[in-house]
Amino acid sequence: MNGEALDFPILSMLVFMPVAGAVIITLLSKRRPEYMKLVAAVSSVATGAMSIWLTAEFNGHESGFQFVSKHSWIEQWGISWHLGVDGISLFLILLTGVLFPLAILGIDPHNDDPAKNKPYLAWLLLLEAGVMGSFMSLDLFLFFVFFEIVLVPMYFLIGGWGYEGRVQAATKFFLYTMIGSAFMLVSIMATVFIASRNGVGHVTFDLVEIAEHAEFAASTGRWLFFGFAVAFAVKVPIFPLHTWLPDAHTQAPTAGSVVLAGVMLKLGTYGLLRFGLYLFPEASLWSRHLWLSLAVIGIIYGAIAATMQKDLKRLVAYSSVAHLGFIVLGIFAVTSQSITGAVMQMVNHGVSTGALFLLVGMIYERRHTRQIADLKGIQSVAPIFAAAFMIVMLSSIGVPGLNGFVGEYLILIGSFMSARWYVVVASTGVILAALYLLWAYQRVFHGEPDEANKTFAELKLKEAAVLLPFIAVIVFAGVYPKPILERIEPAVDALITHVEDKTGYESPQPAAVATISEEGE
Amino acid sequence: MLDVIWLIPAFPLAGFLLILLFGRRLGEPKSGYLASAMVLASFVVSVGAYFDLLSMDSHERAHIETLFSWVPVSSLQIDMAFLADPLSITMCLFVTGIGFLIHLFAVGYMHGDPNFSKFFLYLNLFVLSMTILVLGENLLVTFLGWEGVGTCSYLLISFWHQRESAATAGKKAFVTNRVGDWGFMLAMFLGFEAVGSVSYHALNGAAEAGSLATSTATGIALLLFVGAVGKSAQLPLYIWLPDAMEGPTPVSALIHAATMVTAGVFLMTRMNPMLAAAAPEASTIIAVVGALTALFAATIAVAQTDIKKVLAYSTVSQLGYMFLAVGSGAFVAAIFHMVTHAFFKALMFLGSGSVIHGMHHEQDMRKMGALRKLMPITAATFIVGWLAIAGVPPFAGFWSKDEILLFALAKGGTWGPILYVVGLVTAVLTAFYMTRQVIMVFFGEAKWESHANAAEAPEGEDEMTHGAHGEFKPHESPPIMLFPLVVLAGLAAVGGLIQLPAFGFIPDGWQHKLEHWLEPVVEAGEAHIAGTSAYDNKELLALLAIACALIGIGVAVAIYAKKLVKPVEPQLLADGWKYDSGVSAFMGGPGRKAFEAIAWFDKNVVDGAVHGVAKLVGGAGGQIRKTQTGNVRNYAGIVGVGVVLLLAWFVIGRGVL
């Protein structure tokens, strides 16, 4: 079935449903916290259900945008409410839709005060709307609005419900990403007006129109791209712009960390694809060696920094720097496998790292510490908890049969054809990933538990219920990734064709197998 | 049976899932029997597949069973598919056959362990991974099994994780193996780039058709060898295997002797056409690494005092022989030695497990001696294994080792004779250190009487079976542990029958059976040595090999049994040439310092710069604010400044608009 003919504005609903939830919660009386939770649950679960429905109805054979919803907004400037979904954004939307109800229902804010629940839940729902909107916007202005909206709830979530250094971390997060956004805003304005004179013919913020018709002079395109790139590079984060991340992750409440790692970082990599490669193919290719270098540095550097962390949450945060490096590598290697792998890895990282943050949050709830040195021998007292951690860890390490491997493998095998020596170095990241995670696991879970850890509680039913969906995805996507890959690939191939058409670049293909099949017969 | 070849991994998968769900309820010993039964079922399917293949014309003996499309992205199409051919079925037969025996043994050995079910959970997961590894139709399915066995190895080595050494050893095994996996992955990438596929059929087909550049074939072959070096514990990555002995002994027998560590040899054999298409230096490198490892590990084995460490270094050494075979184009001999080695090494590991069990978890051979009287069956079967590995005819090891040495010599050139001599010297050492072990453990005077207090056993074990403390007497193991020993001893005795050489006195129909069986798989890579002077003198070479074995045995008897000469066991050898400790010292010293330096750099330089800029801006902002009456909010302020700066840049600097 073709989504475009659909009457039900599913994409708009994905944005409005959490907004409605946030508004209702704000209007509710402070004395009825149970209603707040109920409203948050209903709106986030409904959003999640719609995202699942969207995935099921998505036409996997089509490369263009589906379920498009377009309404003129500020007509004289060519700004419209323009939403659409393709294979690149589909699973990020699904991930957002599923992750939020789990974070809202499964995790209680750690300094729990029922009165403070109200803004907490409202901010989370508003955050969801912002993330959803960012992944679906096909209008530059609209995208910028959503991209910025995301910052505000995150700032308050870290600042209001975080840990000891929360205020500083929140401020750093906010300022850092704001500065990046400032660059992007300028670029958006300039892009729109330059495009209107060069190929598009009128002032419009429509992403597709600009990408298809605008003819930027090479140097102009590079400057415009630069503005976007800075914003996304901070968001990813790409080395050396990454230092806000460990602070924000460590200080954020568990739900904040899960969402931050799960979907927010992907705004950066998604942006690089949608507003980098798609909008400025020439500039992206021109600068690709810079990106590839920074990606590889991030992989190695993030892993090494992760190895030496003393705080478990910080360790996971640095592992994100390494993992996101793989994704950036895949994007700028520009092959069908590498970009498809990168898109899948965005989802995988969200699942695996999201689950790791959940588990670290559970450890903190029990022991009120995140210091690796304070933890010991947990496997002896909580074997099921340890087993859950083990599976998630193996997924993060990239053990085949689990989700993380498929994405990483596709990124590397695809990138090898266009960026061979980068891959040779990047692949050593898989050794380091094993090193930092297994070492951490050994220190936290192995050995005889000391007095403080002897009473470490086993996984509770509610916790297991939250973790189970993560583990199910980890196993399913590792064993049978085909349903995911075949929905991503058409959009990626269309993107590569677009890049090739615009620049004359040829994405490398493996040598044909024809000679062998002739011999074989 | 061939179209249900997936049943071979499916049974252990079922066992894994059942124990995962019901393991605690099943408990001991039911979960152990369930796991064993599943592996036995796989063995039965393997036997059925074997006869199916046998009934086919020899060049049609390859059946691909595709389950589903696994990783399909445009030009890359990887199926979850299994390949049943003489090589994979040979591997399945001995993996599941020996696997079953070791499962049975473990039911006895792990008696009383609080995590009894979990042990069999991991063990079945291992067999699942191992059968996927050998049945894979393409490199990626093999890699799935490859990493799976590595993960199981990690889980099982650190099974008794309360001991820090066990936890560390598991981690070390995984990380070191990953160094090799790096090579394996790059080989896949290179193969895909060159051929557009990672299936064995396509890669080997391209190699045989000559459509691969020699440099590409060499690259793929050597990168795969890097993977093999990690998994099969060769120089310089062998260091994890001796430490892996921290795992329960059935694990050492199954994973770290008989099956997993041979995966590298299997992989090279599977890819033999690629090696044939590669530059000849690639084979020479493999042969040299193999021979060096064989000799190096054998020199270390002569000075070990831990009963399992001797066997561990011996395994490294024997795997070196297999790579010497691979590098000499003796793929059949490599598989032959892999199978015979699996018989006698699994036998000796289980035998050592029986000894350790009987000695209440004592592993120091200096505290043993004269155990043959108290553990007659363990001793008798161990002696069969000893004769097999020492190269005494007609036991299995003699035939397979002899064939490798023959091919090494026949390789010719500069390296052939050198490799041959290294192989012979290693054979002397092998006979020597194994004899030393047999004497120290089973003969001589009993030294355990003075060591009434056994080393502390892992908790929960043996408290039931052994009476009050103080009373210490080694005892024979229960039947469930002895049965596998007896079967393996039988196999170690007669295993040579599968590939007897073309000696005059051996009837034609008995010769080269394995070679005929494997021929369709290895014909591209197998060296043809008929006509070489080495081949013409093969009986003479065999006699020389026997002489070497007898020398090794004789010297050891003279030193350790007759005490004619005082034993010389240099500390340097006991310390493994200080290689392992050197690596550890480097990792813990300069390596760690470098890591710490980067963490420091991140905190103080990268983040420091950010904070510096923030302070600067904050200071400037404060100054500006003083001149303003209103309160400029951060958001608007920064956006505004950025917009102005960038617009100015665009207009003035770039001339746009």
Side-chain angles (χ1 to χ4, degrees):
Chain A
M1 95 181 279
N2 193 336
E4 292 188 40
L6 218 81
D7 293 332
F8 184 65
I10 173 96
L11 298 189
S12 303
M13 284 306 292
L14 281 172
V15 176
F16 287 128
M17 183 65 86
V19 172
V23 171
I24 294 172
I25 287 173
T26 315
L27 298 176
L28 279 174
S29 159
K30 261 189 185 168
R31 272 161 299 187
R32 307 305 293 268
E34 66 276 12
Y35 286 144
M36 294 173 198
K37 191 101 187 185
L38 183 70
V39 171
V42 167
S43 73
S44 64
V45 169
T47 311
M50 285 193 295
S51 68
I52 291 170
W53 183 83
L54 176 79
T55 312
E57 290 295 309
F58 183 85
N59 183 346
H61 302 292
E62 208 179 307
S63 60
F65 291 102
Q66 304 181 28
F67 303 95
V68 172
S69 159
K70 189 171 183 180
H71 305 278
S72 201
W73 184 13
I74 309 175
E75 215 159 328
Q76 59 270 43
W77 294 341
I79 295 172
S80 49
W81 175 268
H82 189 184
L83 303 178
V85 54
D86 70 351
I88 293 173
S89 53
L90 176 69
F91 289 98
L92 292 168
I93 293 168
L94 177 65
L95 178 68
T96 309
V98 175
L99 207 54
F100 270 90
L102 288 173
I104 288 171
L105 294 174
I107 311 161
D108 295 319
H110 94 104
N111 41 0
D112 204 344
D113 164 15
K116 282 186 82 184
N117 255 354
K118 181 170 161 162
Y120 172 83
L121 292 170
W123 285 132
L124 264 177
L125 287 170
L126 191 62
L127 182 60
E128 176 170 21
V131 174
M132 280 285 187
S134 303
F135 285 139
M136 299 187 295
S137 295
L138 299 180
D139 182 282
L140 294 182
F141 186 81
L142 191 63
F143 173 75
F144 184 78
V145 170
F146 281 124
F147 194 78
E148 293 304 289
I149 282 180
V150 167
L151 291 184
V152 181
M154 202 47 163
Y155 170 78
F156 284 108
L157 282 170
I158 298 174
W161 289 267
Y163 298 105
E164 60 283 353
R166 57 184 178 271
V167 175
Q168 206 203 352
T171 311
K172 191 170 175 181
F173 159 79
F174 191 82
L175 288 182
Y176 219 133
T177 27
M178 271 306 307
I179 292 169
S181 301
F183 282 88
M184 182 161 75
L185 180 61
V186 176
S187 266
I188 286 177
M189 296 303 172
T191 300
V192 166
F193 292 110
I194 295 170
S196 71
R197 296 180 181 191
N198 297 281
V200 177
H202 58 277
V203 175
T204 177
F205 282 77
D206 190 295
L207 169 70
V208 183
E209 235 180 297
I210 296 175
E212 297 296 336
H213 302 299
E215 303 286 347
F216 299 115
S219 61
T220 314
R222 288 169 194 173
W223 280 107
L224 297 174
F225 172 65
F226 174 74
F228 282 92
V230 170
F232 298 139
V234 170
K235 201 80 166 189
V236 170
I238 288 174
F239 173 89
L241 305 175
H242 63 275
T243 55
W244 63 269
L245 179 80
D247 287 345
H249 261 320
T250 314
Q251 298 303 330
T254 299
S257 299
V258 170
V259 169
L260 193 58
V263 290
M264 269 188 65
L265 302 185
K266 280 61 182 202
L267 289 177
T269 46
Y270 171 80
L272 286 174
L273 270 177
R274 186 75 88 213
F275 301 91
L277 208 49
Y278 180 54
L279 204 48
F280 305 103
E282 195 279 337
S284 301
L285 289 176
W286 173 75
S287 58
R288 62 197 288 257
H289 287 284
L290 174 69
W291 292 101
L292 294 171
S293 305
L294 292 177
V296 172
I297 291 173
I299 292 170
I300 307 297
Y301 182 93
I304 291 177
T307 313
M308 300 319 295
Q309 295 308 312
K310 298 180 175 74
D311 180 316
L312 197 53
K313 218 171 168 190
R314 251 183 124 74
L315 184 151
V316 180
Y318 272 103
S319 83
S320 286
V321 176
H323 280 124
L324 272 292
F326 277 105
I327 297 173
V328 174
L329 173 69
I331 291 173
F332 285 95
V334 198
T335 66
S336 186
Q337 289 83 20
S338 75
I339 297 184
T340 305
V343 174
M344 186 182 176
Q345 198 62 357
M346 290 185 211
V347 181
N348 288 338
H349 174 262
V351 174
S352 309
T353 309
L356 274 180
F357 276 122
L358 264 173
L359 287 158
V360 175
M362 292 172 191
I363 292 176
Y364 186 87
E365 266 175 41
R366 288 163 165 77
R367 293 277 294 100
H368 297 284
T369 179
R370 300 181 306 262
Q371 296 301 312
I372 294 172
D374 293 342
L375 303 161
K376 191 167 188 267
I378 291 175
Q379 188 175 322
S380 297
V381 282
I384 300 174
F385 186 89
F389 197 97
M390 173 68 73
I391 294 170
V392 175
M393 176 180 81
L394 291 175
S395 146
S396 190
I397 290 177
V399 170
L402 303 177
N403 63 342
F405 173 75
V406 180
E408 218 167 81
Y409 181 78
L410 283 170
I411 289 171
L412 292 173
I413 201 169
S415 305
F416 190 81
M417 292 185 288
S418 60
R420 174 182 292 195
W421 296 104
Y422 292 103
V423 170
V424 170
V425 181
S427 306
T428 60
V430 303
I431 306 171
L432 294 170
L435 179 68
Y436 63 75
L437 279 171
L438 291 190
W439 191 32
Y441 186 89
Q442 182 188 348
R443 286 176 289 170
V444 173
F445 287 93
H446 284 162
E448 293 281 5
D450 51 23
E451 272 313 308
N453 291 299
K454 252 192 180 128
T455 51
F456 193 94
E458 183 55 292
L459 199 67
K460 296 186 195 79
L461 204 60
K462 181 186 169 188
E463 294 170 333
V466 178
L467 281 172
L468 207 61
F470 287 90
I471 290 174
V473 172
I474 283 172
V475 175
F476 176 80
V479 175
Y480 195 57
K482 185 168 171 252
I484 302 171
L485 295 174
E486 68 185 8
R487 283 174 174 78
I488 297 174
E489 196 203 322
V492 170
D493 286 343
L495 173 63
I496 291 176
T497 308
H498 171 81
V499 171
E500 287 175 334
D501 289 348
K502 285 274 176 186
T503 61
Y505 171 80
E506 261 186 68
S507 176
Q509 290 288 324
V513 277
T515 46
I516 310 139
S517 40
E518 278 163 31
E519 291 285 333
E521 297 318 309
Chain B
M1 276 298 192
L2 286 181
D3 37 354
V4 290
I5 199 75
W6 50 269
L7 278 174
I8 297 177
F11 279 114
L13 174 64
F16 167 78
L17 293 174
L18 286 172
I19 299 175
L20 185 68
L21 295 174
F22 309 114
R24 284 188 180 187
R25 223 168 303 165
L26 284 170
E28 185 192 347
K30 280 194 197 128
S31 51
Y33 288 128
L34 173 71
S36 309
M38 289 301 160
V39 181
L40 180 64
S42 291
F43 178 70
V44 171
V45 177
S46 307
V47 172
Y50 169 74
F51 282 111
D52 275 7
L53 284 182
L54 212 54
S55 67
M56 293 158 77
D57 190 55
S58 80
H59 274 261
E60 282 165 11
R61 285 174 186 163
H63 178 83
I64 293 175
E65 193 64 31
T66 303
L67 298 186
F68 54 85
S69 169
W70 185 19
V71 184
V73 177
S74 81
S75 50
L76 178 74
Q77 295 291 332
I78 302 177
D79 289 336
M80 184 67 80
F82 295 136
L83 165 64
D85 73 350
L87 179 60
S88 64
I89 294 303
T90 306
M91 298 295 294
C92 278
L93 280 173
F94 92 82
V95 166
T96 55
I98 295 179
F100 167 65
L101 293 173
I102 294 173
H103 272 67
L104 274 189
F105 181 91
V107 173
Y109 189 84
M110 297 305 286
H111 168 69
D113 193 284
N115 290 313
F116 184 88
S117 297
K118 196 189 230 177
F119 184 78
F120 285 94
L121 178 81
Y122 292 159
L123 228 47
N124 261 6
L125 186 63
F126 170 79
V127 176
L128 164 69
S129 305
M130 191 67 206
T131 50
I132 288 176
L133 191 162
V134 297
L135 282 170
E137 179 267 341
N138 54 62
L139 280 171
L140 194 65
V141 175
T142 293
F143 192 66
L144 169 67
W146 185 274
E147 291 274 282
V149 292
T151 306
C152 294
S153 169
Y154 161 71
L155 294 169
L156 285 162
I157 294 170
S158 46
F159 190 72
W160 287 323
H161 62 84
Q162 287 85 353
R163 258 201 328 249
E164 198 187 340
S165 54
T168 305
K171 179 188 66 192
K172 183 173 176 181
F174 195 99
V175 174
T176 314
N177 265 290
R178 277 244 148 173
V179 177
D181 298 345
W182 171 82
F184 195 141
M185 299 232 301
L186 288 180
M188 279 193 274
F189 305 159
L190 194 55
F192 172 65
E193 188 188 34
V195 181
S197 169
V198 292
S199 83
Y200 291 122
H201 175 72
L203 288 167
N204 286 334
E208 283 181 57
S211 58
L212 274 185
T214 308
S215 58
T216 309
T218 310
I220 295 173
L222 285 179
L223 285 166
L224 285 175
F225 180 61
V226 171
V229 163
K231 192 63 77 194
S232 295
Q234 297 294 290
L235 276 171
L237 297 181
Y238 77 91
I239 44 175
W240 64 271
L241 186 59
D243 287 14
M245 298 301 122
E246 289 287 341
T249 302
V251 172
S252 312
L254 179 61
I255 302 184
H256 305 119
T259 59
M260 181 186 86
V261 288
T262 63
V265 183
F266 161 78
L267 181 68
M268 300 316 289
T269 307
R270 179 54 92 204
M271 294 293 286
N272 71 85
M274 191 61 71
L275 203 51
E281 287 80 8
S283 290
T284 304
I285 289 172
I286 294 171
V288 169
V289 169
L292 267 182
T293 309
L295 179 63
F296 180 81
T299 60
I300 299 173
V302 300
Q304 298 304 308
T305 52
D306 182 312
I307 185 169
K308 282 177 74 181
K309 283 278 163 75
V310 176
L311 295 174
Y313 281 107
S314 164
T315 303
V316 174
S317 174
Q318 297 296 313
L319 290 165
Y321 270 119
M322 294 176 212
F323 282 103
L324 173 59
V326 166
S328 308
F331 294 99
V332 174
I335 298 296
F336 183 29
H337 197 58
M338 180 196 291
V339 172
T340 60
H341 175 257
F343 292 156
F344 60 68
K345 192 53 70 64
L347 165 63
M348 287 192 289
F349 261 116
L350 294 188
S352 76
S354 179
V355 168
I356 294 166
H357 190 255
M359 288 286 295
H360 303 196
H361 293 272
E362 177 58 68
Q363 296 189 195
D364 191 335
M365 296 193 297
R366 289 169 300 189
K367 297 175 185 170
M368 298 178 183
L371 287 175
R372 71 182 186 284
K373 293 167 196 155
L374 294 166
M375 312 179 75
I377 298 177
T378 303
T381 53
F382 200 95
I383 284 167
V384 173
W386 160 56
L387 292 171
I389 192 175
V392 176
F395 296 96
F398 164 74
W399 307 102
S400 51
K401 196 186 292 182
D402 192 50
E403 188 156 324
I404 293 173
L405 293 175
L406 173 63
F407 271 79
L409 184 59
K411 187 179 166 74
T414 329
W415 285 102
I418 299 175
L419 293 170
Y420 177 74
V421 171
V422 172
L424 268 190
V425 172
T426 307
V428 176
L429 288 172
T430 308
F432 173 80
Y433 68 69
M434 285 313 305
T435 311
R436 169 179 174 268
Q437 180 173 43
V438 167
I439 294 170
M440 285 176 84
V441 175
F442 294 106
F443 293 89
E445 70 263 33
K447 292 175 191 139
W448 37 265
E449 280 160 343
S450 55
H451 297 275
N453 54 332
E456 67 256 65
E459 51 183 313
E461 265 194 77
D462 289 1
E463 269 146 78
M464 311 286 283
T465 43
H466 306 299
H469 18 157
E471 230 178 296
F472 179 83
K473 198 174 180 198
H475 60 88
E476 185 59 292
S477 298
I480 197 163
M481 291 167 71
L482 295 178
F483 170 72
L485 291 179
V486 173
V487 175
L488 285 169
L491 291 169
V494 302
L497 285 176
I498 61 172
Q499 168 78 351
L500 290 175
F503 288 170
F505 64 90
I506 296 169
D508 275 358
W510 292 73
Q511 296 171 359
H512 295 305
K513 277 181 171 311
L514 186 67
E515 190 177 324
H516 297 313
W517 167 245
L518 289 178
E519 201 215 335
V521 183
V522 299
E523 61 187 340
E526 187 78 0
H528 300 286
I529 60 164
T532 60
S533 60
Y535 187 79
D536 294 339
N537 295 307
K538 55 186 182 297
E539 283 94 349
L540 195 67
L541 295 176
L543 288 176
L544 194 58
I546 296 170
C548 284
L550 293 179
I551 291 171
I553 294 173
V555 173
V557 168
I559 296 175
Y560 291 97
K562 306 284 180 210
K563 315 246 187 232
L564 299 177
V565 192
K566 212 171 162 330
V568 183
E569 292 172 4
Q571 192 58 36
L572 183 64
L573 295 185
D575 294 345
W577 297 95
K578 303 234 183 267
Y579 174 67
D580 189 13
S581 51
V583 172
S584 301
F586 178 80
M587 291 299 178
R592 194 181 173 135
K593 286 238 165 61
F595 271 45
E596 271 165 1
I598 287 182
W600 180 90
F601 174 82
D602 190 65
K603 195 173 171 193
N604 294 291
V605 180
V606 182
D607 202 29
V610 174
H611 282 279
V613 170
K615 271 209 187 99
L616 217 67
V617 172
Q623 294 301 316
I624 293 165
R625 192 174 299 155
K626 281 181 195 162
T627 68
Q628 303 281 325
T629 48
N631 199 0
V632 185
R633 280 181 296 169
N634 279 342
Y635 189 108
I638 291 162
V639 172
V641 171
V643 168
V644 171
L645 280 180
L646 267 157
L647 276 180
W649 200 326
F650 272 105
V651 174
I652 300 162
R654 308 301 307 170
V656 292
L657 287 180

